Structures are given as C-alpha cells and as structure tokens.
Amino acid sequence: MPPKFKRHLNDDEVTGSVKSERGRENLLEEDSDEEEDFFLRGPSGPRFGPRNDKIRHVQNQVDEVIDVMQENITKVIERGERLDDLQDKSESLSDNATAFSNRAKQLRRQMWWRGCKV
C-alpha cells in the first residue's frame, strides 16, 4: 500500500468509532419504534394538524372503495353461482330434448309400420 494512504490509528480513535456505532444502533432502534407505531397505528398528535383532515379524507375514500370492491366481489360470486345453476338447467334441458327427439322418431316408425300393416 502506498505511504500516502497509510494512516496510523490510536486506540482512542478505534474505541471512539465503536462507541459511536453503538450510539447509532440505539438511535436507530428508537426511531424504528416510532416508525413502527406510525405505520401500525397511523398518524397522531398535533404535528399532523392540517394534513390530518386530508389523511382522514383519503382514508374515507379508501374505505369506500374497499366497501364497493367487497360488494362487487360478492355480486360476482353470486353471478357465478347463478351461471352454474343456469348451465345445469340447460344441460338437463338438452338431455330431455335429445330423449324427446329419440322417442318421437321411435313412435313415428311404430306408427308408420302400423299404417303399413293396416
């Protein structure tokens, strides 16, 4: 390593930097508690005075959108159930129509043979 980059450190400088890093960790821990409280409980206190109304307004809008989306999801689920019922009924009707057609052909043949015999 070139001599201009070499630096001799004292024990005080090394221990001082370790102490300052520990101090930083404590500061970070204290800040993180406040930030976690903010994100978990929302803004509170006088420092959010005029903006608090805007935040409440936006939160109310978000709540309304959530309610509308929940209603829409419920309606879509109900619609899906009705479509399933309609599909079952249409399959049943199709089966009945096929059975009627087959029985009608069979009856027509029987009547034709009766007509031939007479």
Side-chain angles (χ1 to χ4, degrees), residues 47-70:
R47 59 184 168 166
F48 295 105
R51 292 188 50 173
N52 200 12
D53 293 335
K54 290 181 182 179
I55 291 172
R56 284 185 187 160
H57 179 69
V58 170
Q59 185 63 42
N60 289 338
Q61 287 179 337
V62 168
D63 291 340
E64 288 176 13
V65 169
I66 288 172
D67 291 339
V68 169
M69 291 306 296
Q70 288 174 343

Side-chain angles (χ1 to χ4, degrees), residues 7-106:
R7 181 171 175 218
H8 299 288
L9 298 175
N10 299 339
D11 289 336
D12 295 335
E13 291 175 351
V14 173
T15 57
S17 65
V18 171
K19 289 178 184 175
S20 65
E21 288 179 10
R22 287 183 186 158
R24 287 181 193 159
E25 290 174 1
N26 290 337
L27 288 175
L28 290 175
E29 289 174 4
E30 291 172 10
D31 289 344
S32 66
D33 291 340
E34 289 178 13
E35 289 175 0
E36 287 177 11
D37 289 344
F38 174 79
F39 288 113
L40 293 175
R41 297 184 188 142
S44 62
R47 59 184 168 166
F48 295 105
R51 292 188 50 173
N52 200 12
D53 293 335
K54 290 181 182 179
I55 291 172
R56 284 185 187 160
H57 179 69
V58 170
Q59 185 63 42
N60 289 338
Q61 287 179 337
V62 168
D63 291 340
E64 288 176 13
V65 169
I66 288 172
D67 291 339
V68 169
M69 291 306 296
Q70 288 174 343
E71 289 176 16
N72 288 345
I73 290 171
T74 303
K75 288 178 182 178
V76 166
I77 290 171
E78 290 173 357
R79 180 177 178 258
E81 291 172 356
R82 287 194 312 261
L83 286 174
D84 289 341
D85 291 342
L86 184 61
Q87 185 176 3
D88 292 342
K89 288 178 182 178
S90 67
E91 288 174 0
S92 174
L93 185 61
S94 176
D95 293 341
N96 289 337
T98 304
F100 176 80
S101 176
N102 290 339
R103 180 68 182 135
K105 286 180 189 176
Q106 190 179 33

